[in-house]
Amino acid sequence: MLLTFKGSNFKSFGDSFEFNMVPERISEIPYSILKEKVGGKTARALSASVIYGPNAAGKTSIINAMSCFRGIVQKGTIQNSETDRSEDHVSADMSLIPFKFVKKENPVEFDITFISEGLKIRYVIAFRIGTFLAENIERAILNEELWVNDSCIFVRRQSDVAELHLQTIRKYLNAGVSMSEADEIRRMMSGNIVKDSLLLTTDFNSFCSKRLVQIITGWMSKKFMVINSANHTAFWPVQKEGSAVSDNYLNKVAQQAGIIGSEFAYVTGPDKKQRLFSMFDDKESKTAGIDAHLIESVGTIRLIEIMPAILIALEQGATLVMDEFDASLHPSIVKNIIGIFHNNEINTNHAQLIFNSQNPIYLNSKIFRRDEIKFVERNEETKSSELYALSDFRTNGGDVSVRKTTDYMKNYFVDRYGAILDIDFSDIIKEMMEKRVQRDEWNE
C-alpha cells in the first residue's frame, strides 16, 4: 500500500510536493484506515483520496509524476522509450518534462514510500534532464537511494555508490553474498554504473538482492496501477482472434448500475483490435452483437471499460490511481465505489483508490475524511502548483477552521479553501459578439 509520493520540478510543480496517504490523528471515519504489520510496528494508510482544483492547476501533474516514476522503474532507465506500450497509451507515451517557468536547470526528483510483503520500502531518484524542452541534454542520474524499514540500504551519488548496508536485508541477499563483502561489492558497483540507468535494477539486482528487487518492481508493475486519462483507457482480457469473452461479474455490475437489456463481451476482430460489444438474441435465438460504441451511452462505456481495473485493484490489494475517474459516471456509482474501498469487510486486501475530480459532491464528511481530501492550486507569482489537504487548515495558523461537521462543499465554493477560480467569460464573449456585429456592418 502507498504511504507517500513526493516530487519536484515536474510539469506544473516547480517546488516540491508530497502526496500523503498516511492518516492524521484526527477524529474521522475509523473504518477507512488500512493497517499492515512492518516488523514489530503497525503501519497505517488511507484507503482513498480525492484531488480537487481548477483546470490546469496541477491535479493531473501529480498522476503523471506517479506514472513516469513507475515507468522509470519498469524500464530501468530515465531515457524515454519509443517502443514501450501498455494498456494505457497515455502512460506509455508520457515524457519527463521539468517545470516550465525557470531558466535554471534543476534536477527532477521522485520519492516513494510503500509497503509490500511486510517491508516498508522507500526509493528515491533524482536526475538531470535539462530545462523545459531543452535539446541534446545528456540525461544522468544524480542521486538514487533505497531504504527498507527505515534503514538505508544504498546511496548512489552520480557514478559513485557512496553507501551500501546489507544487514537489514540479509534474508533477501543473493546466494553466496556475505555482508562482510559489502565494501568490496560497493566498489565493484561504482565501477559499473551507467549514468542513465538505475542501480536498483542493474548491479544491485545482480550483486546483492534479486529477491528485494523483485518485490519492488513487482509492486510497481502489479500493485501501483497508475492510469493517465481514464477516458482513453480500457482493460482487455487476453483472447484469441475471432473469439468473444464475456465477464459474468462485469455484466452483474452493469445490471446493478441500471443498464437494462444489455450484456457485454470482448471481441477480437481480424485486425487484431479488441472491441466491446453489446450482445443480444436475434430472431432465430442466436446470440449476436454490435459494437457497444454505436449503441451505448458514453457513461455506460466508461463504466464497463474502467470497472475491470477497480475489480483487479480490490482483488490484488493494489493502489489504483486514476485521472478523470468519475467523468461521465453518475455520482451514485462513484460514491458506492468509494464506499467499497472504505469498507474493511470488502476491501480485505487493502486496496487504495486515488483520483482527481471536478464534482463537488464528494466534499462531504460522510464520504471522505478531511485528510483524504486534497487541493491543488497554482501560485500566481511563481506559477508553480501547490498541494495541500483539507486537514491542513486546522494547524496552518490561518483564519479557516475545518471541523468534520463543516459544510465542505459550501466553503469550497465561497473560496475558503482556495483551489478554485472566479471565472467569468461574459466580457470576452460580449467583446467578440460586438466585433462580429461591426464586421457584419462593414460587409454590408
Side-chain angles (χ1 to χ4, degrees):
M1 61 187 187
L2 178 67
L3 297 181
T4 61
F5 181 83
K6 304 175 185 178
S8 64
N9 190 35
F10 180 79
K11 296 194 74 174
S12 69
F13 285 90
D15 300 319
S16 61
F17 71 87
E18 178 177 354
F19 192 90
N20 198 338
M21 291 294 284
V22 177
E24 296 196 30
R25 297 189 179 277
I26 52 180
S27 176
E28 288 286 358
I29 306 172
Y31 55 75
S32 63
I33 302 302
L34 308 177
K35 298 177 182 179
E36 289 195 17
K37 287 289 185 181
V38 177
K41 301 179 180 179
T42 299
R44 303 162 72 243
L46 300 171
S47 56
S49 188
V50 61
I51 312 169
Y52 282 98
N55 293 114
K59 302 185 300 298
T60 300
S61 290
I62 297 170
I63 297 174
N64 290 166
M66 294 179 180
S67 176
C68 281
F69 180 80
R70 178 177 181 267
I72 287 171
V73 176
Q74 288 179 310
K75 293 181 293 186
T77 176
I78 58 173
Q79 297 292 349
N80 289 334
S81 174
E82 297 298 329
T83 58
D84 181 32
R85 291 295 181 270
S86 67
E87 72 279 356
D88 180 3
H89 71 275
V90 182
S91 295
D93 293 336
M94 187 61 59
S95 298
L96 289 167
I97 301 175
F99 182 60
K100 177 180 180 180
F101 299 99
V102 291
K103 295 182 179 180
K104 179 183 176 182
E105 179 180 327
N106 294 315
V108 176
E109 181 170 343
F110 297 135
D111 182 338
I112 194 169
T113 302
F114 61 94
I115 293 173
S116 181
E117 299 191 25
L119 298 176
K120 180 182 177 183
I121 297 168
R122 180 187 174 210
Y123 183 54
V124 184
I125 180 171
F127 43 89
R128 182 185 71 233
I129 58 173
T131 55
F132 181 72
L133 298 184
E135 297 180 355
N136 301 320
I137 300 296
E138 275 195 284
R139 296 187 173 190
I141 295 173
L142 305 177
N143 182 55
E144 186 180 356
E145 300 178 20
L146 177 64
W147 298 70
V148 174
N149 294 348
D150 298 319
S151 295
C152 177
I153 306 303
F154 71 71
V155 175
R156 166 191 179 176
R157 306 289 189 217
Q158 297 189 33
S159 296
D160 177 55
V161 181
E163 297 182 43
L164 180 65
H165 310 282
L166 302 178
Q167 176 67 29
T168 302
I169 60 169
R170 59 188 182 279
K171 294 191 299 184
Y172 299 88
L173 294 177
N174 295 339
V177 175
S178 170
M179 289 184 292
S180 62
E181 301 172 331
D183 197 52
E184 181 181 350
I185 293 172
R186 182 189 62 79
R187 289 194 296 270
M188 285 193 297
M189 291 195 300
S190 294
N192 289 340
I193 281 180
V194 178
K195 63 184 177 182
D196 60 0
S197 296
L198 303 183
L199 177 67
L200 176 74
T201 54
T202 53
D203 283 355
F204 180 79
N205 177 70
S206 300
F207 290 122
C208 299
S209 178
K210 287 183 171 64
R211 176 66 186 130
L212 183 58
V213 174
Q214 286 173 352
I215 291 173
I216 296 170
T217 57
W219 186 86
M220 290 282 182
S221 298
K222 297 179 180 179
K223 293 195 174 184
F224 194 32
M225 302 169 63
V226 187
I227 302 172
N228 293 281
S229 191
N231 62 347
H232 290 105
T233 302
F235 286 78
W236 306 101
V238 177
Q239 61 193 94
K240 296 179 180 179
E241 179 184 333
S243 65
V245 175
S246 180
D247 187 319
N248 185 45
Y249 287 105
L250 202 56
N251 284 313
K252 286 183 177 181
V253 166
Q255 292 170 11
Q256 188 64 34
I259 303 170
I260 301 172
S262 294
E263 290 195 358
F264 298 92
Y266 302 97
V267 176
T268 301
D271 58 359
K272 310 296 184 183
K273 292 182 179 179
Q274 292 178 304
R275 294 178 175 86
L276 183 67
F277 266 57
S278 292
M279 310 304 293
F280 58 90
D281 292 331
D282 66 12
K283 294 180 180 179
E284 297 179 358
S285 299
K286 294 181 179 178
T287 301
I290 186 172
D291 191 328
H293 290 80
L294 301 176
I295 193 172
E296 304 291 351
S297 70
V298 173
T300 296
I301 298 295
R302 289 259 307 130
L303 176 64
I304 299 303
E305 288 186 337
I306 68 171
M307 183 54 72
I310 295 166
L311 299 177
I312 290 169
L314 290 165
E315 185 179 32
Q316 297 184 354
T319 299
L320 175 60
V321 185
M322 193 176 295
D323 189 23
E324 303 177 6
F325 162 62
D326 63 335
S328 301
L329 296 180
H330 194 280
S332 295
I333 294 175
V334 180
K335 286 168 62 178
N336 181 257
I337 293 171
I338 295 168
I340 288 171
F341 278 84
H342 277 159
N343 190 328
N344 56 9
E345 294 182 359
I346 301 176
N347 187 12
T348 56
N349 295 321
H350 295 169
Q352 295 171 296
L353 174 66
I354 298 169
F355 68 98
N356 58 28
S357 179
Q358 302 286 8
N359 192 335
I361 196 172
Y362 318 120
L363 287 169
N364 188 315
S365 62
K366 295 180 180 179
I367 301 175
F368 278 114
R369 295 164 50 100
R370 283 169 287 175
D371 48 4
E372 291 180 321
I373 298 173
K374 320 289 188 186
F375 295 107
V376 181
E377 68 176 3
R378 207 77 175 258
N379 186 301
E380 292 185 2
E381 293 184 3
T382 65
K383 298 181 176 61
S384 177
S385 296
E386 298 173 352
L387 171 67
Y388 52 96
L390 182 60
S391 55
D392 291 341
F393 285 98
R394 67 187 179 92
T395 57
N396 67 359
D399 298 329
V400 180
S401 176
V402 180
R403 300 178 182 273
K404 63 180 181 181
T405 56
T406 302
D407 188 333
Y408 303 158
M409 183 166 63
K410 176 182 176 182
N411 283 349
Y412 178 59
F413 277 105
V414 296
D415 199 15
R416 290 182 67 82
Y417 307 145
I420 192 170
L421 295 177
D422 183 13
I423 297 173
D424 186 355
F425 300 128
S426 302
D427 289 341
I428 299 172
I429 294 177
K430 181 180 178 181
E431 180 184 351
M432 180 194 73
M433 297 299 290
E434 289 175 348
K435 287 188 175 181
R436 177 170 293 177
V437 170
Q438 292 175 359
R439 288 197 300 269
D440 291 343
E441 291 175 349
W442 293 338
N443 290 335
E444 291 178 357

